[in-house]
Structures are given as structure tokens and as C-alpha cells.
């Protein structure tokens, strides 16, 4: 049984509803095209699994494993690709699926890397957007929720690799404990 922590910032119900909207929008925007959805692991695993099932056009899936935080709650600004794509995205319509865009460093690094492979198009879908922390401008075409400048966990997001399995989004206080 999942231990229940404090009051969630974003409930399961809100997440589910928002994912249905995003799925509808993406299905409309990609009506006549196949789309390659790229999940950025580990953080995006839960969002990705729910999002792709809310999309009604043919979807090809792939994953990237990146690490930018090295187990702390502060960004080091360094992004490491631990595992790369297995599909060729040249000429494809690609959507990168992220858990959260914070400083924007991870996403802008990934976009640059993927654009060098010449996809037909490249868009971003992020469950959470924390715009107050942005240090580099990077457009996000599909956003689930805008969140305040607080460290959040759950629904894929971790603190020191824990809390990813919480079925909702919660806020961590500065001691690393949940509010
Ligand atoms: P950025 O490069 O600063 O935009 O951060 C990108 C990555 O850091 C995200 O994909 C997350 O994996 C992680 N991250 C940033 N903020 C949070 C947070 O509040 N909770 C959990 N992970 C976070
Ligand atoms: Mg991430």
C-alpha cells in the first residue's frame, strides 16, 4: 500500500482530467500524421504512460534516459544522456515528453541534440512548468500545469529517487520532508 503524504498540490483527478485534454489536443494537431513520442526517463514515466493512452493517432514510442540533478534538489546544469533513442527520428514528427521544465537547461540541451538528427518537426509536452526558475528560454507547446517555485515530487518526480510512485503531485519542504 502507498503511504499517504500531506495534502497534494495536484490531485490524481486533476492530473487525469488534464491528460485527457492534452491527449485530445495532440490528437487534433497530429490528425494526418504519425507521431513519435519520446519519454524522458525516469521522471516522465507515469505521465508518458497515461498521455500516450489518451492520444488517438498512431504513435511510435521511444525513451531517453537523462540525468541532470545527480540526486540533489539543485540543478548542476549538467545533463548526461545515460541511454539514447533506438529509433531514427529523421523526417519524423516528434514530441518530447518531460516531467517538469525548471531551469530549462535539460530541455534546451535535448532539443539541440534531437534537432541535429533532422526531425520533420519537434515539439515539447511537459506535465509541469515552473517558469519562475527558468534561466534559458525554451518554448513548451503543451503544458499540463504551471507550478510555483517549490520542489515537487510524485507521479514520476523524485527527491533522491524516492516518491516517484506517489499517484499525485506533492510539495517537499526545505529539509526534504513533505509538507
Ligand atoms: P531543468 O534542467 O532545470 O529544467 O530541470 C529538468 C529536470 O530536473 C526535470 O526533468 C526533473 O527531472 C528535475 N526537476 C526539476 N525540478 C524538479 C522538482 O521540483 N521536482 C523533481 N524533479 C525536478
Ligand atoms: Mg526529467
Amino acid at each position: 500500500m502507498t503511504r499517504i503524504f500531506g495534502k497534494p498540490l495536484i490531485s490524481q483527478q486533476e492530473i487525469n482530467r488534464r491528460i485527457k485534454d492534452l491527449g485530445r489536443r495532440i490528437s487534433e494537431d497530429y490528425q494526418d500524421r504519425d507521431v513519435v513520442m519520446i519519454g524522458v526517463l525516469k521522471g516522465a514515466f507515469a505521465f508518458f504512460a497515461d498521455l500516450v493512452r489518451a492520444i488517438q493517432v498512431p504513435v511510435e514510442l521511444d525513451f531517453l534516459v537523462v540525468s541532470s540533478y545527480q540526486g540533489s534538489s539543485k540543478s548542476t546544469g549538467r545533463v548526461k544522456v545515460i541511454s539514447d533513442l533506438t529509433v531514427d527520428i529523421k523526417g519524423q514528427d516528434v514530441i518530447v515528453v518531460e516531467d517538469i521544465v525548471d531551469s530549462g537547461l535539460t530541455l534546451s540541451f535535448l532539443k539541440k541534440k534531437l534537432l541535429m538528427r533532422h526531425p520533420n518537426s519537434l515539439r515539447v509536452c511537459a506535465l509541469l512548468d515552473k517558469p519562475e526558475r527558468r534561466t534559458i528560454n525554451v518554448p513548451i507547446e503543451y503544458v499540463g500545469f504551471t507550478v510555483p517555485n517549490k520542489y515537487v515530487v510524485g507521479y514520476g518526480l523524485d527527491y533522491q529517487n524516492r516518491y516517484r510512485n506517489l499517484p499525485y503531485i506533492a510539495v517537499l519542504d526545505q529539509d526534504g520532508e513533505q509538507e
Side-chain angles (χ1 to χ4, degrees), residues 43-98:
F45 85 92
F47 177 46
F48 189 82
D50 287 339
L51 179 66
V52 295
R53 286 178 289 176
I55 293 175
Q56 276 142 26
V57 295
V59 165
E60 195 178 341
L61 312 183
D62 206 358
F63 298 96
L64 272 170
V65 185
V66 303
S67 160
S68 54
Y69 271 65
Q70 252 101 65
S72 98
S73 64
K74 290 245 164 59
S75 177
T76 56
R78 279 199 306 267
V79 182
K80 208 161 81 188
V81 175
I82 291 164
S83 171
D84 207 335
L85 297 178
T86 60
V87 300
D88 183 7
I89 59 165
K90 187 171 181 192
Q92 304 275 22
D93 293 299
V94 176
I95 301 178
V96 176
V97 180
E98 262 283 20

Side-chain angles (χ1 to χ4, degrees), residues 2-173:
T2 309
R3 271 185 291 168
I4 305 298
F5 300 93
K7 194 167 169 258
L9 179 68
I10 306 169
S11 71
Q12 266 179 283
Q13 202 187 29
E14 288 173 288
I15 294 170
N16 293 341
R17 243 196 325 253
R18 191 73 185 118
I19 287 177
K20 289 219 175 75
D21 293 343
L22 289 170
R24 254 194 304 269
R25 272 180 57 203
I26 292 172
S27 305
E28 279 169 21
D29 292 352
Y30 289 80
Q31 253 171 35
D32 309 312
R33 295 179 281 173
D34 289 4
V35 56
V36 181
M37 307 276 300
I38 298 177
V40 183
L41 298 178
K42 302 177 201 169
F45 85 92
F47 177 46
F48 189 82
D50 287 339
L51 179 66
V52 295
R53 286 178 289 176
I55 293 175
Q56 276 142 26
V57 295
V59 165
E60 195 178 341
L61 312 183
D62 206 358
F63 298 96
L64 272 170
V65 185
V66 303
S67 160
S68 54
Y69 271 65
Q70 252 101 65
S72 98
S73 64
K74 290 245 164 59
S75 177
T76 56
R78 279 199 306 267
V79 182
K80 208 161 81 188
V81 175
I82 291 164
S83 171
D84 207 335
L85 297 178
T86 60
V87 300
D88 183 7
I89 59 165
K90 187 171 181 192
Q92 304 275 22
D93 293 299
V94 176
I95 301 178
V96 176
V97 180
E98 262 283 20
D99 51 358
I100 184 167
V101 183
D102 190 34
S103 69
L105 290 169
T106 305
L107 189 55
S108 78
F109 168 89
L110 280 181
K111 278 185 85 172
K112 241 179 259 166
K113 190 177 162 73
L114 295 175
L115 283 171
M116 288 192 292
R117 300 175 189 177
H118 305 291
N120 182 54
S121 66
L122 179 62
R123 287 187 176 180
V124 177
C125 178
L127 175 66
L128 305 176
D129 180 12
K130 208 193 276 181
E132 281 174 60
R133 295 249 310 166
R134 204 61 43 80
T135 60
I136 185 162
N137 182 37
V138 48
I140 312 169
E141 285 79 7
Y142 306 100
V143 175
F145 303 90
T146 300
V147 292
N149 187 8
K150 296 198 168 154
Y151 199 82
V152 290
V153 295
Y155 196 68
L157 291 104
D158 74 307
Y159 174 70
Q160 298 187 345
N161 251 324
R162 296 177 65 207
Y163 309 117
R164 291 194 198 275
N165 61 315
L166 280 186
Y168 52 83
I169 308 279
V171 175
L172 273 190
D173 71 19

